[in-house]
Amino acid sequence: MVGVVAVALLFVAVPQVETRAEPENILRVPGDFTTIQDAIDAAFDGDTVVIPDGTYTGEGNKNLDFGGKTIHLKSQNGLYRCIIDCEGSGCGFYFHKGETSESIVEGFTIRNGGEVENGGGICCRKSSPTILNCTIMSNSAENNGGGIYCHSADPAIINCL
């Protein structure tokens, strides 16, 4: 009988694991944060950052760095309505901290990146993010990859121009 009680307690002590279909948290720019980078910095793994229609320029809206996080950064209404404009200085996105396919950029036009050594639009070093439904245009770099530069990286580039 003692063995039966021990087994019953073992089943009671096992915690139930819940799964979620929705992201942990949805952060919004400019609603919750002033810049895209501010929202990325505040996000935790599994969070989604939603960016409404508009053209985003200036500090905090270019050279965007996920910092190794597995977050989903997406435009609210697609690439024709949500633009990262680097204004000829800097890049759109800089992945360099081991980001994986779970680090997702979706639905942006990334344009006018420049005055960088490599990767005017997107620079991937030792990272493999997912770039989905984006247009990368009118970017330049001094050495390599005006649009996208990859070094020791294997990003998934899906349905992009």
Side-chain angles (χ1 to χ4, degrees), residues 27-42 49-52 56-62 64 73 84:
L27 303 125
R28 298 183 187 278
V29 174
D32 300 324
F33 299 92
T34 306
T35 67
I36 298 170
Q37 189 64 58
D38 288 342
I40 291 169
D41 291 345
V49 178
V50 178
I51 311 300
Y56 294 84
T57 61
E59 201 62 36
N61 293 313
K62 63 181 178 181
L64 299 169
L73 177 71
I84 307 291

Side-chain angles (χ1 to χ4, degrees), residues 68-156:
K69 296 177 184 179
T70 56
I71 62 173
H72 187 169
L73 177 71
K74 66 186 239 175
S75 67
Q76 187 170 350
N77 294 305
L79 64 103
Y80 298 111
R81 296 182 177 182
C82 196
I83 300 163
I84 307 291
D85 189 337
C86 301
E87 303 177 289
S89 175
C91 65
F93 291 90
Y94 183 39
F95 295 101
H96 62 111
K97 294 197 174 173
E99 288 86 357
T100 68
S101 62
E102 293 180 41
S103 299
I104 303 167
V105 172
E106 180 180 2
F108 293 91
T109 293
I110 304 157
R111 71 179 186 199
N112 298 325
E115 293 187 5
V116 294
E117 188 174 322
N118 299 302
I122 299 171
C123 184
C124 296
R125 296 178 187 274
K126 299 181 182 180
S127 296
S128 298
T130 298
I131 312 300
L132 178 64
N133 300 324
C134 290
T135 293
I136 302 156
M137 61 183 284
S138 302
N139 297 286
S140 62
E142 293 175 16
N143 292 327
N144 298 299
I148 300 174
Y149 174 75
C150 300
H151 177 72
S152 299
D154 188 22

